[in-house]
């Protein structure tokens, strides 16, 4: 059962404190009053950190339970579609964007003298604390962010205890992609007590894993993506007989995208799910 930051809503070797991520710090008295987020991950970080009424608009993805861990919290907020014209009409004093948000939108907003703060994606569990700290700094909510960081670090330490004989696991997504330990998904896997077969093959962040190589690796667990409705050819590989054969007689898992996609405290739910999966593997040995 999670507490702290996870209840509100890895490798654990490095715990980030609120002083580790330098950024422009805003005092409470100078905190922005009308904040607009144009990125799914900043949507959720802002909903966690912002004071009541401070966040005035988020993206439609924030209210989609498929993609957002905070869909219920976002349901009552006005949405925007990351278009400069509509954002300008919201009269924001701060816009929160991702590093890969459309550059034309960001450049136009800055030409209109609207402050834009950009957030990089999380590539490691340590980035969760860094992103919370950054959000607290730009919103003038440092105390709230520090509380969330402390809760996240405590919950992560509780989940990611020492593991003896670590089972082998493979992450397998649409188009046959996988993730190594230099990725958020890979670190979630490691924190839950699994060894990532992709890392042993030399994968760092993300890359295509040939089906034949996956079959020869014969991992203890194959964790596949959660398919979207429809008939995507990209996801057809996850229904391949080889993948089904690897899962047959083994414990298998499915990635729940909303808990894996952003560097928020909700990644702890993904770790918790995988810890339970590891226990099931160990019980079947």
């Amino acid at each position: 059962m999670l507490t702290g930051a996870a209840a509100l809503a890895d490798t654990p070797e490095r715990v980030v404190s609120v002083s580790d991520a330098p950024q422009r710090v805003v005092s409470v008295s100078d905190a922005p009053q009308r904040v607009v987020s144009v990125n799914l991950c900043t949507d959720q970080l802002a909903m966690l950190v912002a004071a009541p009424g401070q966040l005035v608009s988020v993206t439609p993805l924030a209210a989609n339970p498929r993609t957002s861990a905070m869909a219920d919290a976002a349901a009552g907020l006005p949405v925007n579609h990351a278009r400069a014209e509509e954002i300008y009409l919201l009269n924001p004093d701060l816009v929160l964007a991702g590093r890969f948000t459309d550059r034309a939108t960001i450049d136009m907003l800055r030409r209109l003298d609207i402050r834009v703060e950009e957030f990089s994606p999380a590539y490691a569990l340590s980035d969760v604390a860094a992103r919370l700290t950054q959000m607290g700094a730009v919103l003038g909510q440092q105390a709230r962010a520090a509380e969330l960081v402390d809760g996240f670090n405590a919950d992560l330490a509780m989940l990611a205890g020492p593991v003896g004989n670590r089972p082998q696991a493979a992450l397998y997504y649409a188009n046959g992609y996988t993730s190594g330990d230099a990725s958020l998904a890979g670190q979630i896997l490691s924190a839950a007590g699994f060894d990532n077969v992709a890392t042993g093959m030399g994968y760092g962040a993300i890359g295509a894993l040939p089906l034949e190589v996956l079959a020869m690796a014969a991992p203890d667990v194959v964790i596949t993506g959660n398919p979207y409705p429809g008939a995507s050819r990209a996801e057809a590989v996850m229904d391949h007989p080889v993948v089904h054969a690897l899962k047959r007689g083994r414990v298998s898992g499915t990635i729940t995208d909303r808990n894996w996609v952003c560097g928020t405290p909700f990644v702890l739910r993904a770790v918790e799910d995988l810890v339970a999966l590891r226990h099931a593997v160990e019980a079947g040995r």
Side-chain angles (χ1 to χ4, degrees), residues 21-45:
Q23 59 267 314
R24 176 181 174 183
V25 177
V26 175
S27 67
V28 174
S29 60
D30 293 329
Q33 300 302 305
R34 293 187 58 80
V35 179
V36 172
S37 171
V38 297
N39 171 270
L40 171 62
C41 296
T42 57
D43 289 342
Q44 295 175 86
L45 288 166

Side-chain angles (χ1 to χ4, degrees), residues 84-96:
E85 299 87 347
E86 64 175 336
I87 295 167
Y88 179 78
L89 292 174
L90 290 169
N91 193 31
D93 49 8
L94 174 64
V95 173
L96 306 171

Side-chain angles (χ1 to χ4, degrees), residues 11-106:
T11 39
E13 291 88 349
R14 178 172 178 263
V15 174
V16 176
S17 71
V18 289
S19 62
D20 285 338
Q23 59 267 314
R24 176 181 174 183
V25 177
V26 175
S27 67
V28 174
S29 60
D30 293 329
Q33 300 302 305
R34 293 187 58 80
V35 179
V36 172
S37 171
V38 297
N39 171 270
L40 171 62
C41 296
T42 57
D43 289 342
Q44 295 175 86
L45 288 166
M47 283 189 283
L48 284 168
V49 175
Q54 191 176 21
L55 180 65
V56 300
S57 181
V58 294
T59 69
L61 290 174
N64 185 338
R66 174 80 191 216
T67 55
S68 171
M70 299 189 71
D72 290 343
L77 288 169
V79 302
N80 71 82
H81 301 85
R83 294 190 291 262
E85 299 87 347
E86 64 175 336
I87 295 167
Y88 179 78
L89 292 174
L90 290 169
N91 193 31
D93 49 8
L94 174 64
V95 173
L96 306 171
R99 186 66 65 190
F100 300 107
T101 298
D102 181 69
R103 299 311 306 177
T105 296
I106 290 176

Side-chain angles (χ1 to χ4, degrees), residues 3 46 77-78 90 104 107 122-123 134 138 143 155 178 191 195 201-202 207 219-220 231 236 246:
T3 60
L77 288 169
L90 290 169
D107 292 344
Y123 298 112
Q134 182 183 359
V138 301
D155 290 339
T178 191
D195 281 338
M201 296 174 185
D220 298 305
L246 286 170

